[in-house]
Amino acid sequence: MDNPEIFVGLDIGTTTIKVVVAESNHGEMNVIGAGTQPARGLSRGVIVDIDQAAGAIKAAVQQAEQKANVQIDSVLLGIPANQLKIEPTSGMVAVADGNQAREITDRDVQNVTNAALLQSLPPEREIIAIAADEFVVDGFDEIKDPRGMMGVRLEMHGTLYTGPKTIIHNAKKAVEQAGLHVADVTVTPLALGQTILNDGEQDFGTVIIDLGGGQTTAAVIHDHQLKYATVDQEGGDFITKDISVVLNTSLDNAEQLKRDYGFANADLASDDNRFPVQVVGQPDPVQVSEHYLAEIIEARLQQIFETLRASLDEVSALELPGGVVLTGGVAALPGIVELAADVLGANVRIYVPEQMGLRHPQNATALALINHSGQQSETQRLVNGALMGEFVPQAAPVSTEPQQSQRQRVANEAANQAAGSTAPKARPAKPKKDRQGSISDFFRNFFD
């Protein structure tokens, strides 16, 4: 992007590729275009065919370019939370000129970040993002921006997010193969938390459940930080397959039935309202009731929520006062709030973007990526620049292209001054609660 005020968020989903273009106006993001294309080359949120994924990304970007009337050269990339690890990290460097204290500069911030990035990771893992929680100047802590302060020693305490190298590499490679530059990378639940939650929900603790097509992600935001994330490898595509198998119809018909007549809660569906279903091997359509279709959908969704509940109970996440916020394409199903509240035992609401043309839960992630980048502080941009491998000018809205060799070179300069990282704290376990399901034994046994 030649214009520094233009931000482009890219959400690579299992079923659709979504691109949102926005321009920054006095700190506010104004959406000026969007593009959506069917996804190809993905399975359960992960790219399995780089060529096909690159083609879908390129088509979605071209659609967004036409609507926004801008040329898109780089994007803000979101990485799913599959096998995500969250751990604290810290680094320390000397900033004194000889024995004299001096003012802390942008370069010092990046040097202490590189010291914090010196982690011994397994060969199959890679750093996705790093968040600066606080800086410490000569023992004075809780500093958000140390630049301009006088000091002898600078420390940084932050949070490190790492993921499987294959997932990260494939996503970046597909973007580059589409002719685009990766301006910045972040974990999608981290960006979602800053966009769909208010300040109180981020502070006191809230669970975000992203109901996608290929998988469902639950993330815990507390103290304005991403504390925990878990992924269930089931999503909207599984609901479509269930409808196809039970009603003996094609996947395309099943998807259309889900969108046109589907209810997440069978109690809200009518037994009198019926619709035709084209059954394989039969010349004439078969009449099916909304209630019968809703029972199929509810069975799968209840199974997904029960799986997530078991993981969230282990970290007592469902006791947080913020409750649960649903987003993602599946969250548009009527009655899903009632079903989720019944299974999870928490207050539940749905997030729908308010921007014109984006008023559907499936657009939340792409919108969150641009908001996350646009709302970053200048200090966090410097931290991101150290991770991406280049020095970031103070006024740049997005970081520059990653160069592993440059990052390693800068890291080596700060290696002798780095402090060791601390180990993550253990989370208290909570026994699983027994809850009685609301669906028939037939559908439960069928999907088991």
Side-chain angles (χ1 to χ4, degrees):
M1 293 176 293
D2 295 330
N3 190 339
E5 299 298 320
I6 297 295
F7 296 79
V8 182
L10 173 62
D11 176 21
I12 305 177
T14 304
T15 55
T16 56
I17 305 291
K18 295 167 282 292
V19 178
V20 173
V21 185
E23 60 180 1
S24 177
N25 185 12
H26 302 292
E28 294 185 1
M29 287 293 179
N30 299 320
V31 176
I32 60 176
T36 302
Q37 290 291 321
R40 299 190 303 272
L42 282 98
S43 176
R44 299 186 180 184
V46 178
I47 294 177
V48 295
D49 190 316
I50 294 177
D51 292 336
Q52 289 188 357
I57 293 171
K58 188 173 183 179
V61 169
Q62 289 175 346
Q63 184 182 13
E65 285 179 330
Q66 294 175 357
K67 294 183 178 180
N69 195 26
V70 297
Q71 181 180 353
I72 298 175
D73 298 319
S74 60
V75 296
L76 306 166
L77 177 62
I79 300 295
N82 299 63
Q83 300 180 34
L84 179 70
K85 288 187 178 180
I86 307 171
E87 56 185 334
T89 186
S90 62
M92 181 181 67
V93 294
V95 297
D97 187 5
N99 295 326
Q100 298 295 324
R102 64 170 175 83
E103 286 191 1
I104 297 172
T105 65
D106 291 356
R107 177 59 71 181
D108 295 321
V109 172
Q110 289 202 318
N111 285 340
V112 75
T113 302
N114 278 286
L117 288 170
L118 292 176
Q119 300 287 325
S120 298
L121 297 178
E124 71 277 4
R125 298 192 67 80
E126 183 177 337
I127 298 174
I128 302 175
I130 181 173
D133 300 331
E134 69 167 353
F135 293 89
V136 181
V137 178
D138 296 343
F140 294 95
D141 58 1
E142 297 186 0
I143 297 173
K144 297 301 181 182
D145 188 352
R147 294 174 300 167
M149 297 182 179
M150 295 291 292
V152 175
R153 184 180 70 255
L154 176 64
E155 302 174 57
M156 187 194 80
H157 302 290
T159 305
L160 204 63
Y161 304 94
T162 66
K165 185 172 294 184
T166 300
I167 294 177
I168 303 169
H169 171 80
N170 290 356
K172 291 181 178 179
K173 187 68 175 179
V175 172
E176 293 170 359
Q177 197 159 312
L180 301 165
H181 160 57
V182 179
D184 197 6
V185 180
T186 190
V187 186
T188 52
L190 183 63
L192 278 171
Q194 296 181 357
T195 297
I196 73 177
L197 303 182
N198 58 42
D199 186 71
E201 289 172 332
Q202 294 185 57
D203 188 15
F204 289 97
T206 306
V207 177
I208 299 174
I209 297 182
D210 184 3
L211 294 152
Q215 62 184 22
T216 302
T217 303
V220 179
I221 305 295
H222 190 216
D223 292 334
H224 294 266
Q225 296 177 346
L226 175 61
K227 297 290 189 178
Y228 176 77
T230 182
V231 176
D232 180 19
Q233 297 295 337
E234 296 182 4
D237 289 349
F238 280 75
I239 299 175
T240 303
K241 291 176 183 177
D242 294 341
I243 297 172
S244 174
V245 171
V246 175
L247 300 183
N248 197 22
T249 188
S250 67
L251 287 174
D252 290 340
N253 288 339
E255 178 67 22
Q256 197 63 42
L257 293 173
K258 181 181 71 175
R259 295 176 181 271
D260 294 343
Y261 306 103
F263 282 84
N265 191 336
D267 293 339
L268 303 179
S270 173
D271 225 352
D272 298 329
N273 294 337
R274 295 178 176 270
F275 48 86
V277 177
Q278 192 65 47
V279 178
V280 175
Q282 296 188 22
D284 299 325
V286 175
Q287 295 295 316
V288 176
S289 69
E290 282 184 353
H291 187 271
Y292 187 74
L293 176 64
E295 283 187 309
I296 302 173
I297 297 173
E298 181 183 329
R300 177 62 68 177
L301 281 174
Q302 180 159 345
Q303 179 173 308
I304 292 173
F305 286 136
E306 287 178 347
T307 301
L308 294 178
R309 186 198 68 214
S311 298
L312 294 172
D313 277 344
E314 292 179 358
V315 294
S316 303
L318 294 175
E319 297 180 2
L320 295 173
V324 177
V325 179
L326 303 179
T327 190
V330 182
L333 284 171
I336 197 166
V337 170
E338 292 80 0
L339 178 64
D342 180 61
V343 177
L344 300 175
N347 296 325
V348 180
R349 69 174 177 90
I350 297 177
Y351 172 79
V352 180
E354 298 179 353
Q355 288 77 0
M356 186 70 67
L358 300 179
R359 293 173 181 172
H360 194 282
Q362 69 176 0
N363 298 316
T365 296
L367 180 64
L369 292 173
I370 58 177
N371 285 336
H372 172 73
S373 181
Q375 295 173 2
Q376 283 181 350
S377 65
E378 295 295 338
T379 307
Q380 185 59 47
R381 296 192 199 284
L382 292 170
V383 171
N384 291 348
L387 175 61
M388 301 298 280
E390 291 184 1
F391 181 77
V392 180
Q394 187 166 340
V398 292
S399 56
T400 53
E401 185 175 5
Q403 296 290 339
Q404 180 68 23
S405 59
Q406 294 186 25
R407 182 174 73 82
Q408 188 61 45
R409 174 176 54 79
V410 178
N412 291 337
E413 295 176 358
N416 295 329
Q417 302 169 356
S421 62
T422 58
K425 297 180 180 179
R427 300 181 177 90
K430 180 182 178 181
K432 179 178 178 181
K433 300 178 181 179
D434 292 328
R435 307 176 198 262
Q436 185 175 358
S438 60
I439 60 172
S440 64
D441 292 337
F442 169 77
F443 287 105
R444 180 181 298 276
N445 294 333
F446 177 86
F447 295 122
D448 287 341

